[in-house]
CSV table of all heavy atoms in Angstrom, one decimal:
chain,number,residue,atom,x,y,z
A,24,VAL,N,98.7,98.1,108.5
A,24,VAL,CA,99.9,98.0,107.6
A,24,VAL,C,99.7,99.2,106.6
A,24,VAL,O,98.6,99.3,106.1
A,24,VAL,CB,99.8,96.7,106.8
A,24,VAL,CG1,100.9,96.6,105.8
A,24,VAL,CG2,99.9,95.5,107.7
A,25,ALA,N,100.8,99.9,106.4
A,25,ALA,CA,100.7,101.0,105.4
A,25,ALA,C,101.7,100.7,104.3
A,25,ALA,O,102.9,100.3,104.6
A,25,ALA,CB,101.1,102.3,106.2
A,26,GLY,N,101.3,101.1,103.1
A,26,GLY,CA,102.2,100.8,101.9
A,26,GLY,C,102.9,102.2,101.6
A,26,GLY,O,102.4,103.1,101.6
A,27,LEU,N,104.2,102.0,101.2
A,27,LEU,CA,105.0,103.0,100.8
A,27,LEU,C,105.3,103.0,99.4
A,27,LEU,O,105.4,101.9,98.8
A,27,LEU,CB,106.5,103.0,101.6
A,27,LEU,CG,106.3,103.0,103.1
A,27,LEU,CD1,107.8,102.7,103.6
A,27,LEU,CD2,105.9,104.3,103.6
A,28,GLU,N,105.2,104.1,98.8
A,28,GLU,CA,105.6,104.2,97.4
A,28,GLU,C,107.2,104.0,97.1
A,28,GLU,O,107.9,104.3,97.9
A,28,GLU,CB,105.2,105.5,96.7
A,28,GLU,CG,103.7,105.6,96.7
A,28,GLU,CD,103.1,106.9,96.0
A,28,GLU,OE1,104.0,107.5,95.2
A,28,GLU,OE2,102.1,107.4,96.2
A,29,GLU,N,107.6,103.5,95.9
A,29,GLU,CA,109.0,103.4,95.7
A,29,GLU,C,109.8,104.7,95.8
A,29,GLU,O,111.0,104.7,96.1
A,29,GLU,CB,109.2,102.8,94.3
A,29,GLU,CG,108.8,101.3,94.3
A,29,GLU,CD,109.2,100.6,93.0
A,29,GLU,OE1,110.1,100.9,92.4
A,29,GLU,OE2,108.6,99.5,92.7
A,30,ALA,N,109.2,105.8,95.5
A,30,ALA,CA,109.8,107.1,95.6
A,30,ALA,C,109.9,107.6,96.9
A,30,ALA,O,110.6,108.7,97.2
A,30,ALA,CB,109.0,108.1,94.8
A,31,MET,N,109.5,106.8,98.1
A,31,MET,CA,109.6,107.3,99.4
A,31,MET,C,110.6,106.4,100.1
A,31,MET,O,110.8,105.3,100.0
A,31,MET,CB,108.2,107.2,100.1
A,31,MET,CG,107.2,108.1,99.6
A,31,MET,SD,105.6,107.8,100.5
A,31,MET,CE,104.6,109.0,99.6
A,32,THR,N,111.2,107.1,101.1
A,32,THR,CA,112.1,106.4,102.1
A,32,THR,C,111.5,106.5,103.5
A,32,THR,O,111.2,107.7,103.8
A,32,THR,CB,113.6,107.0,102.1
A,32,THR,OG1,114.1,107.0,100.8
A,32,THR,CG2,114.5,106.4,103.0
A,33,PHE,N,111.4,105.4,104.2
A,33,PHE,CA,110.8,105.5,105.5
A,33,PHE,C,111.9,106.2,106.4
A,33,PHE,O,113.0,105.9,106.4
A,33,PHE,CB,110.6,104.1,106.0
A,33,PHE,CG,110.3,103.9,107.4
A,33,PHE,CD1,109.1,104.3,107.9
A,33,PHE,CD2,111.2,103.4,108.3
A,33,PHE,CE1,108.7,104.2,109.3
A,33,PHE,CE2,110.9,103.2,109.6
A,33,PHE,CZ,109.7,103.7,110.0
A,34,VAL,N,111.3,107.1,107.3
A,34,VAL,CA,112.1,107.8,108.2
A,34,VAL,C,111.9,107.4,109.6
A,34,VAL,O,112.7,107.0,110.4
A,34,VAL,CB,111.9,109.4,108.1
A,34,VAL,CG1,112.7,110.1,109.2
A,34,VAL,CG2,112.4,109.8,106.7
A,35,ASN,N,110.5,107.5,110.0
A,35,ASN,CA,110.1,107.2,111.4
A,35,ASN,C,108.6,106.8,111.6
A,35,ASN,O,107.9,107.1,110.7
A,35,ASN,CB,110.3,108.5,112.2
A,35,ASN,CG,110.1,108.3,113.7
A,35,ASN,OD1,110.6,107.3,114.2
A,35,ASN,ND2,109.5,109.3,114.3
A,36,ALA,N,108.3,106.0,112.5
A,36,ALA,CA,106.9,105.7,112.9
A,36,ALA,C,106.7,105.9,114.3
A,36,ALA,O,107.5,105.6,115.1
A,36,ALA,CB,106.6,104.2,112.4
A,37,ASP,N,105.6,106.4,114.7
A,37,ASP,CA,105.1,106.6,116.0
A,37,ASP,C,103.7,106.2,116.2
A,37,ASP,O,102.8,106.4,115.3
A,37,ASP,CB,105.3,108.0,116.5
A,37,ASP,CG,105.1,108.3,117.8
A,37,ASP,OD1,105.6,107.4,118.6
A,37,ASP,OD2,104.6,109.3,118.2
A,38,GLY,N,103.4,105.6,117.3
A,38,GLY,CA,102.0,105.2,117.6
A,38,GLY,C,102.0,104.4,118.9
A,38,GLY,O,103.0,104.1,119.6
A,39,PRO,N,100.8,103.8,119.1
A,39,PRO,CA,100.6,103.0,120.4
A,39,PRO,C,101.3,101.7,120.3
A,39,PRO,O,101.5,101.0,121.3
A,39,PRO,CB,99.1,102.9,120.5
A,39,PRO,CG,98.6,103.1,119.2
A,39,PRO,CD,99.6,104.0,118.4
A,40,THR,N,101.7,101.1,119.1
A,40,THR,CA,102.5,100.0,119.0
A,40,THR,C,103.7,100.3,118.0
A,40,THR,O,103.7,101.3,117.3
A,40,THR,CB,101.7,98.8,118.4
A,40,THR,OG1,101.2,99.3,117.1
A,40,THR,CG2,100.5,98.5,119.3
A,41,ASP,N,104.7,99.5,118.1
A,41,ASP,CA,105.9,99.7,117.3
A,41,ASP,C,105.7,99.4,115.9
A,41,ASP,O,105.0,98.4,115.5
A,41,ASP,CB,107.1,98.7,117.9
A,41,ASP,CG,107.5,99.1,119.3
A,41,ASP,OD1,107.3,100.3,119.6
A,41,ASP,OD2,108.1,98.3,120.0
A,42,GLY,N,106.3,100.1,115.0
A,42,GLY,CA,106.3,99.9,113.5
A,42,GLY,C,107.6,99.4,113.1
A,42,GLY,O,108.7,99.9,113.5
A,43,ALA,N,107.6,98.7,112.0
A,43,ALA,CA,108.8,98.3,111.3
A,43,ALA,C,108.6,98.2,109.8
A,43,ALA,O,107.6,97.8,109.3
A,43,ALA,CB,109.3,97.0,111.8
A,44,GLN,N,109.6,98.5,108.9
A,44,GLN,CA,109.4,98.5,107.6
A,44,GLN,C,109.9,97.1,107.2
A,44,GLN,O,110.8,96.4,107.6
A,44,GLN,CB,110.6,99.5,106.9
A,44,GLN,CG,110.3,99.5,105.5
A,44,GLN,CD,111.4,100.5,104.9
A,44,GLN,OE1,112.1,101.2,105.5
A,44,GLN,NE2,111.2,100.7,103.5
A,45,GLU,N,109.0,96.7,106.2
A,45,GLU,CA,109.2,95.3,105.5
A,45,GLU,C,109.1,95.6,104.0
A,45,GLU,O,108.0,95.5,103.5
A,45,GLU,CB,108.2,94.3,106.0
A,45,GLU,CG,108.2,94.1,107.5
A,45,GLU,CD,107.1,93.2,108.1
A,45,GLU,OE1,106.1,92.9,107.2
A,45,GLU,OE2,107.0,93.0,109.3
A,46,GLY,N,110.2,95.8,103.3
A,46,GLY,CA,110.1,96.1,101.9
A,46,GLY,C,109.3,97.5,101.8
A,46,GLY,O,109.7,98.5,102.3
A,47,LEU,N,108.4,97.4,100.8
A,47,LEU,CA,107.5,98.7,100.6
A,47,LEU,C,106.3,98.8,101.7
A,47,LEU,O,105.4,99.7,101.5
A,47,LEU,CB,107.1,98.7,99.2
A,47,LEU,CG,108.1,99.0,98.2
A,47,LEU,CD1,107.6,99.1,96.8
A,47,LEU,CD2,108.8,100.3,98.5
A,48,ASN,N,106.2,98.0,102.7
A,48,ASN,CA,105.4,98.1,103.6
A,48,ASN,C,105.8,98.4,105.1
A,48,ASN,O,106.8,98.1,105.3
A,48,ASN,CB,104.5,96.7,103.8
A,48,ASN,CG,103.6,96.4,102.6
A,48,ASN,OD1,103.0,97.3,102.1
A,48,ASN,ND2,103.6,95.2,102.3
A,49,LEU,N,104.9,99.2,105.9
A,49,LEU,CA,105.3,99.5,107.2
A,49,LEU,C,104.1,98.8,107.9
A,49,LEU,O,103.0,99.0,107.8
A,49,LEU,CB,105.3,101.0,107.4
A,49,LEU,CG,105.4,101.5,108.8
A,49,LEU,CD1,106.9,101.1,109.3
A,49,LEU,CD2,105.2,102.9,109.0
A,50,SER,N,104.6,97.9,108.9
A,50,SER,CA,103.7,97.0,109.6
A,50,SER,C,104.0,97.5,111.1
A,50,SER,O,105.1,97.6,111.5
A,50,SER,CB,103.8,95.6,109.3
A,50,SER,OG,103.7,95.2,108.2
A,51,PHE,N,102.7,97.6,111.7
A,51,PHE,CA,102.8,97.9,113.1
A,51,PHE,C,102.4,96.6,113.9
A,51,PHE,O,101.6,96.0,113.4
A,51,PHE,CB,101.7,99.1,113.6
A,51,PHE,CG,102.3,100.4,113.0
A,51,PHE,CD1,101.9,100.9,111.8
A,51,PHE,CD2,103.0,101.1,113.8
A,51,PHE,CE1,102.2,102.0,111.3
A,51,PHE,CE2,103.4,102.5,113.5
A,51,PHE,CZ,103.0,102.9,112.2
A,52,ALA,N,103.0,96.5,115.1
A,52,ALA,CA,102.5,95.4,116.0
A,52,ALA,C,101.1,95.5,116.2
A,52,ALA,O,100.5,96.5,116.4
A,52,ALA,CB,103.4,95.3,117.3
A,53,PRO,N,100.4,94.4,116.5
A,53,PRO,CA,98.9,94.4,116.7
A,53,PRO,C,98.6,95.2,117.9
A,53,PRO,O,99.2,95.1,119.0
A,53,PRO,CB,98.5,93.0,116.8
A,53,PRO,CG,99.6,92.2,116.2
A,53,PRO,CD,100.8,93.0,116.4
A,54,LEU,N,97.5,96.0,118.0
A,54,LEU,CA,97.0,96.7,119.0
A,54,LEU,C,96.0,95.8,119.9
A,54,LEU,O,95.1,95.2,119.1
A,54,LEU,CB,96.3,98.0,118.5
A,54,LEU,CG,95.7,99.0,119.6
A,54,LEU,CD1,96.8,99.4,120.5
A,54,LEU,CD2,94.9,100.0,118.9
A,55,ALA,N,96.4,95.6,121.0
A,55,ALA,CA,95.6,94.5,121.8
A,55,ALA,C,94.1,94.8,121.8
A,55,ALA,O,93.3,93.9,121.5
A,55,ALA,CB,96.1,94.2,123.2
A,56,THR,N,93.7,96.0,122.2
A,56,THR,CA,92.2,96.3,122.4
A,56,THR,C,92.0,97.8,122.0
A,56,THR,O,93.0,98.6,122.1
A,56,THR,CB,91.9,96.2,123.7
A,56,THR,OG1,92.4,96.9,124.7
A,56,THR,CG2,91.9,94.6,124.1
A,57,LEU,N,90.8,98.1,121.6
A,57,LEU,CA,90.4,99.5,121.3
A,57,LEU,C,89.0,99.4,121.7
A,57,LEU,O,88.1,98.8,121.1
A,57,LEU,CB,90.5,99.7,119.8
A,57,LEU,CG,90.3,101.3,119.4
A,57,LEU,CD1,91.2,102.2,120.2
A,57,LEU,CD2,90.5,101.5,117.9
A,58,THR,N,88.6,100.3,122.6
A,58,THR,CA,87.2,100.3,123.2
A,58,THR,C,86.2,101.1,122.3
A,58,THR,O,86.7,101.8,121.4
A,58,THR,CB,87.3,101.2,124.5
A,58,THR,OG1,87.8,102.5,124.3
A,58,THR,CG2,88.2,100.5,125.6
A,59,PRO,N,85.0,100.8,122.5
A,59,PRO,CA,84.1,101.5,121.6
A,59,PRO,C,84.2,103.0,121.6
A,59,PRO,O,84.3,103.6,122.7
A,59,PRO,CB,82.7,101.0,122.1
A,59,PRO,CG,82.9,99.8,122.9
A,59,PRO,CD,84.4,99.8,123.4
A,60,GLY,N,84.3,103.6,120.4
A,60,GLY,CA,84.5,105.1,120.4
A,60,GLY,C,85.9,105.5,120.6
A,60,GLY,O,86.3,106.5,120.4
A,61,GLY,N,86.8,104.6,120.8
A,61,GLY,CA,88.2,104.8,121.1
A,61,GLY,C,89.1,105.0,119.8
A,61,GLY,O,88.5,104.5,118.7
A,62,GLU,N,90.1,105.8,119.8
A,62,GLU,CA,90.9,106.0,118.7
A,62,GLU,C,92.3,105.7,119.0
A,62,GLU,O,92.8,105.7,120.2
A,62,GLU,CB,90.9,107.5,118.4
A,62,GLU,CG,89.7,107.9,117.7
A,62,GLU,CD,89.8,109.4,117.2
A,62,GLU,OE1,90.8,110.1,117.6
A,62,GLU,OE2,88.8,109.8,116.5
A,63,ALA,N,93.1,105.2,117.9
A,63,ALA,CA,94.6,105.1,117.9
A,63,ALA,C,95.1,105.8,116.9
A,63,ALA,O,94.6,105.7,115.7
A,63,ALA,CB,94.8,103.5,117.7
């Protein structure tokens, strides 16, 4: 979950799961797994 400042307008989100704006927050769907040493 990422917080947006009031002075910002959400444009786009990209990642291994879908993101959606909820007020001043941007929430991504849960990532099922992340292996040791792995990055998302």
Side-chain angles (χ1 to χ4, degrees):
V24 178
L27 301 174
E28 294 184 22
E29 288 187 24
M31 295 181 179
T32 302
F33 170 71
V34 175
N35 186 41
D37 186 37
T40 60
D41 292 334
Q44 183 179 5
E45 300 169 2
L47 290 177
N48 288 323
L49 178 63
S50 298
F51 289 89
L54 182 62
T56 61
L57 188 60
T58 58
E62 287 188 348

